[in-house]
Amino acid sequence: MLFVTSSDYINRLIPSQYRATIISFSSMVFSVVMIVIFSSFGKMADTFSFGIAFISLAAVGSFLYGLNMRVLAKLEM
């Protein structure tokens, strides 16, 4: 959801001459973040259990989604 929201925001905000570069950079950052999240999830699942790893992932994801919505709401004002 975060990736779709940010891509839509970029498409509406950025002029077309810069959009491709910014979307490419955004995709790269997204991929790097996913590498960190997947590695962390795997380590947590290996150390504790899948249940704890999924709950932790849901908590972090919910927090980041809420933070993203708050930032976007402030920017649109």
Side-chain angles (χ1 to χ4, degrees):
M1 288 171 38
L2 180 63
F3 184 72
V4 173
T5 305
S6 64
S7 291
D8 181 55
Y9 182 72
I10 288 170
N11 282 329
R12 286 188 284 143
L13 183 68
I14 305 299
S16 62
Q17 62 195 32
Y18 303 113
R19 192 176 302 143
T21 303
I22 292 175
I23 289 174
S24 294
F25 181 75
S26 175
S27 296
M28 182 189 69
V29 170
F30 179 78
S31 296
V32 169
V33 168
M34 287 297 110
I35 290 169
V36 171
I37 289 174
F38 291 154
S39 299
S40 300
F41 179 82
K43 181 65 174 172
M44 287 177 63
D46 191 38
T47 304
F48 302 108
S49 69
F50 275 105
I52 292 173
F54 277 119
I55 290 170
S56 300
L57 185 63
V60 170
S62 296
F63 172 76
L64 291 175
Y65 180 75
L67 183 65
N68 184 51
M69 290 296 109
R70 190 173 198 170
V71 168
L72 289 178
K74 285 184 180 182
L75 290 176
E76 289 183 357
M77 290 182 143

